[in-house]
Amino acid sequence: MAKVALNTPKGFRDFLGEEARVRQNVANLLIEIFERFGFEPLTTPALEYAEILKGKYGEEEKLIYEFEDRGGRQVALRYDQTVPLSRVVAQYPNIVKPYKRYQVQNVWRAENPQKGRYREFLQVDLDTVGTLSLLSDAEIINVVITALEELGFEKFTVRINDRDIFNTLTPGVISAIDKLDKIGEEGVISLIKAQSYSDSQAKEILRKVVESTPTEQISNLFDFLEKQKVRPGTYAFDPTLARGLDYYTGVIFEVEIEGYTAGSVGGGGRYDKLIGTLSDSPIPAVGFSFGFDRLIEALSELEIKGLKTNSTQILVTTFSSEFLENSLEVASSLRKEGVPTEIYLDPEMKLDKQLKYADQKKIPYVVLLGPEEIKEKIVTLKKLSDGSQEKLKISQIKTKISSV
């Protein structure tokens, strides 16, 4: 029998230990912030009927993972979470509106893997459906900025534009302008010329866009952001921002973090016509999606350490099999107090091995429990970072580690 290759397909990944913990902590913080602003969770299936997804993504549609199931039906893996949300809203017309939802699930895209881009990745979305009010756009931008600040980012910009600026332009020209940051003016002019424009026409199109002033919608949006006390300097008007997806209809926005070179870490905007393609009437909506992997990479590259990387706070050691019951009682008591606690599972292992285990897992505290401690009805709490020790009652441990 041939040996099985023990690796994942290209563009698909495993996450273990500390890396998985960081990802979970970031996701949990984002969810807490979303719910702080009144957004509620939604989950949708990995598979949708292909016809639901197709015709919504423009030139990016070629990246959809589409196939035929055993029943002969054309199905596709979820490409993003905006189109499935549109399907949900159309399918459940009695849902209370405005409907404010967030969604934290994997999506799949058959693209060439590169830095910050994978074929399976976690996407974190929040959307408000059922209102034309610009306050909903401003609220989502506020949520995004709040999340970035609480994650520890200091220098970032939410670039904001209005698709109305491109009203007289073809989709191909809009797509070319959207690449300005990547390929420069000459590159954009070349792409526009390739669409049957002269050199002077291409230059004039680009000049008009670059020199555009904020629309009335942008001015009103900025006024709402100011009234919500959103920190000045965290957002700015950018007339060249286009966003590639065809379904955007109004205000659009994208996040760039200073010092992170792989590109934006998220984007979104208003899409007032998309849901109408799946229902009997148009339903306005606005949303944002974090590029979760890029967010994690940015945290790592900028060495932002504000998030815990291990939930376990204490390892309870086991002196021997004779005293295992005592160690189990201490661990149970700490857990009931809400302290994330692990117990060493081999009571015959030497103490230095147990301490090494805690150090390798970055567990900050160790409880030492031997015959002397058991007799005195106390424990010894050891802090691994500096080796300091203190004798405490079990009831004192939570207060002690919380005050450090």
Side-chain angles (χ1 to χ4, degrees):
M1 182 178 178
K3 187 175 181 179
V4 176
L6 299 178
N7 56 280
T8 62
K10 188 177 181 181
F12 295 78
R13 299 158 294 161
D14 297 313
F15 300 104
L16 289 80
E18 184 173 339
E19 184 180 11
R21 176 66 63 190
V22 169
R23 293 173 65 86
Q24 181 174 310
N25 287 343
V26 172
N28 288 344
L29 176 59
L30 293 175
I31 288 170
E32 188 277 321
I33 293 168
F34 298 161
E35 295 193 345
R36 193 188 307 168
F37 280 78
F39 290 80
E40 61 183 72
L42 170 69
T43 59
T44 62
L47 282 183
E48 297 277 357
Y49 285 114
E51 63 182 344
I52 295 290
L53 302 185
K54 296 174 74 170
K56 313 296 191 304
Y57 304 108
E59 62 183 25
E60 295 186 16
E61 184 172 311
K62 62 187 178 183
L63 302 179
I64 295 175
Y65 272 107
E66 180 184 358
F67 54 95
E68 185 177 291
D69 69 9
R70 292 182 179 180
R73 295 170 287 262
Q74 290 301 121
V75 295
L77 287 171
R78 186 172 51 232
Y79 177 87
D80 72 352
Q81 293 174 153
T82 304
V83 173
L85 167 66
S86 302
R87 191 261 306 155
V88 166
V89 173
Q91 186 174 346
Y92 304 96
N94 294 326
I95 197 167
V96 177
K97 299 180 184 68
Y99 174 46
K100 296 168 58 173
R101 84 87 170 88
Y102 68 85
Q103 193 168 350
V104 182
Q105 289 187 274
N106 282 2
V107 299
W108 294 266
R109 297 181 183 180
E111 59 183 337
N112 184 35
Q114 53 186 290
K115 181 178 175 62
R117 288 185 178 272
Y118 305 94
R119 288 175 175 168
E120 179 186 38
F121 56 95
L122 186 70
Q123 202 164 52
V124 179
D125 287 14
L126 68 156
D127 295 77
T128 299
V129 177
T131 175
L132 287 166
S133 171
L134 265 179
L135 183 57
S136 60
D137 304 56
E139 181 178 63
I140 282 183
I141 293 171
N142 190 1
V143 173
V144 170
I145 291 173
T146 299
L148 292 168
E149 290 178 331
E150 295 197 18
L151 283 169
F153 295 108
E154 295 181 358
K155 297 180 179 180
F156 61 85
T157 303
V158 179
R159 300 162 57 210
I160 303 174
N161 197 16
D162 186 345
R163 287 283 285 226
D164 284 352
I165 284 177
F166 306 123
N167 270 346
T168 61
L169 304 179
T170 65
V173 170
I174 296 171
S175 178
I177 292 171
D178 196 40
K179 297 178 173 66
L180 181 62
D181 285 348
K182 296 178 181 178
I183 62 176
E185 288 190 12
E186 291 304 317
V188 170
I189 289 170
S190 179
L191 288 178
I192 295 175
K193 287 167 60 178
Q195 299 174 58
S196 301
Y197 290 94
S198 68
D199 184 70
S200 60
Q201 287 175 322
K203 289 179 179 178
E204 180 64 11
I205 289 171
L206 182 58
R207 184 193 67 78
K208 283 185 176 180
V209 170
V210 170
E211 295 179 1
S212 296
T213 57
T215 63
E216 182 179 357
Q217 278 206 116
I218 295 294
S219 297
N220 291 337
L221 176 70
F222 282 17
D223 184 53
F224 277 133
L225 292 173
E226 290 174 11
K227 288 177 179 177
Q228 292 183 73
K229 308 301 181 184
V230 176
R231 179 163 60 95
T234 58
Y235 57 92
F237 172 61
D238 182 353
T240 66
L241 176 67
R243 301 286 297 155
L245 299 177
D246 287 353
Y247 54 60
Y248 288 121
T249 58
V251 172
I252 51 177
F253 31 91
E254 195 166 274
V255 175
E256 290 187 352
I257 295 174
E258 186 175 323
Y260 178 63
T261 59
S264 70
V265 298
R270 181 159 285 279
Y271 54 101
D272 292 337
K273 298 179 181 179
L274 177 61
I275 298 176
T277 65
L278 300 174
S279 64
D280 295 331
S281 59
I283 301 175
V286 60
F288 181 88
S289 176
F290 275 109
F292 191 77
D293 288 291
R294 289 189 171 187
L295 203 58
I296 297 296
E297 285 185 350
L299 285 167
S300 176
E301 286 190 11
L302 300 179
E303 298 183 344
I304 294 174
K305 304 294 186 182
L307 294 169
K308 295 178 181 177
T309 58
N310 195 317
S311 65
T312 303
Q313 294 297 295
I314 292 177
L315 173 71
V316 177
T317 60
T318 54
F319 188 81
S320 67
S321 297
E322 179 183 355
F323 301 108
L324 175 59
E325 183 177 350
N326 303 91
S327 293
L328 289 169
E329 288 178 1
V330 170
S332 295
S333 296
L334 290 171
R335 289 166 182 157
K336 287 178 181 178
E337 286 289 317
V339 179
T341 302
E342 187 173 341
I343 187 167
Y344 198 79
L345 298 174
D346 186 351
E348 301 302 331
M349 185 63 69
K350 291 182 179 180
L351 182 60
D352 63 338
K353 294 285 189 182
Q354 299 184 46
L355 296 177
K356 183 178 180 181
Y357 172 81
D359 185 58
Q360 289 175 328
K361 292 195 67 176
K362 295 182 172 59
I363 300 173
Y365 294 94
V366 169
V367 163
L368 306 174
L369 188 63
E372 181 181 337
E373 285 87 0
I374 292 170
K375 183 178 179 180
E376 297 180 20
K377 296 183 178 180
I378 58 171
V379 299
T380 297
L381 182 68
K382 184 181 181 71
K383 186 178 180 181
L384 290 186
S385 62
D386 59 14
S388 60
Q389 297 185 176
E390 186 175 355
K391 293 185 181 298
L392 300 168
K393 293 180 180 179
I394 298 172
S395 59
Q396 297 174 308
I397 292 177
K398 181 177 181 180
T399 301
K400 179 64 181 179
I401 67 174
S402 298
S403 64
V404 176

